[in-house]
Amino acid sequence: MNVSVVIMGVAGCGKSSLGRAVAQAMQLPLVEGDDFHSPESRQKMSQGVALTDDDRAGWLDRLCDQLRQHPGGMVLTCSALKNAYRERLRAALPGLRFVFLEINREQAQARVGSRGEAHFFSSNLVDSQFATLQAPTGEPGVLTLAATAPLDQLQAEVAAWMTHKELA
């Protein structure tokens, strides 16, 4: 199957967990978007400083390269908060699909806060993620799911959606 999908949403929505589950179920490579942030961006985020569009430019370039390097399909976890970011990713791989994990601010804050020191992302940045978010409502090739649904249910819904040739 040569379908690629971006699991997107604000910090704490469950991108990594769902990405792993979908990649395993669909036998596709998983690319964690966070792994492609520059050391400078990681440092900023760990200090609670929100990234700018300029900070994200190189990161998006690296993610676009990953999409082009996996023509057989892949699962990418990436916040993809703005329409412009999603359009850049779509330009790298026409037909790219997005799964938007919707979550409210309080739930996201609780999830990010529970990570402790295991993750570089400061819980202070959850508000900036919501301020930046342009929900992909009405965009082609987007499946919106409730981030708080059970992981096995989310994985099954994404897998079923990805097997359809036409975009939802």
Side-chain angles (χ1 to χ4, degrees):
M1 171 191 316
N2 59 351
V3 175
S4 291
V5 64
V6 176
I7 310 294
M8 65 159 289
V10 298
C13 71
K15 295 181 292 290
S16 294
S17 297
L18 182 57
R20 277 191 299 277
V22 170
Q24 183 175 21
M26 305 296 294
Q27 298 181 327
L28 290 170
L30 172 66
V31 174
E32 279 282 354
D34 281 347
D35 293 344
F36 293 85
H37 280 295
S38 69
E40 296 80 13
S41 290
R42 284 176 163 281
Q43 181 68 25
K44 283 179 81 169
M45 288 185 283
S46 71
Q47 294 172 347
V49 177
L51 299 182
T52 65
D53 287 347
D54 287 341
D55 294 326
R56 290 186 179 103
W59 175 63
L60 287 167
D61 288 342
R62 290 184 287 280
L63 297 181
C64 287
D65 288 344
Q66 287 296 308
L67 288 167
R68 287 188 285 269
Q69 290 172 26
H70 291 89
M74 66 177 273
V75 177
L76 170 65
T77 62
C78 170
S79 55
L81 297 175
K82 289 186 177 182
N83 177 265
Y85 305 161
R86 295 186 294 275
E87 288 303 316
R88 240 170 118 178
L89 295 169
R90 285 182 178 110
L93 187 67
L96 182 63
R97 296 182 184 199
F98 291 80
V99 172
F100 175 45
L101 290 175
E102 245 181 346
I103 192 168
N104 69 38
R105 188 180 315 265
E106 293 75 25
Q107 293 164 326
Q109 186 69 51
R111 286 181 171 191
V112 172
S114 71
R115 290 178 181 165
E117 300 298 316
H119 197 277
F120 65 87
F121 193 87
S122 169
S123 61
N124 297 338
L125 292 175
V126 171
D127 284 340
S128 74
Q129 293 258 298
F130 278 93
T132 302
L133 177 64
Q134 297 169 345
T137 307
E139 293 177 19
V142 175
L143 175 65
T144 300
L145 297 173
T148 55
L151 182 59
D152 59 342
Q153 176 187 325
L154 292 170
Q155 179 273 315
E157 288 184 51
V158 174
W161 178 67
M162 285 180 64
T163 59
H164 290 94
K165 293 210 183 295
E166 50 294 327
L167 295 177

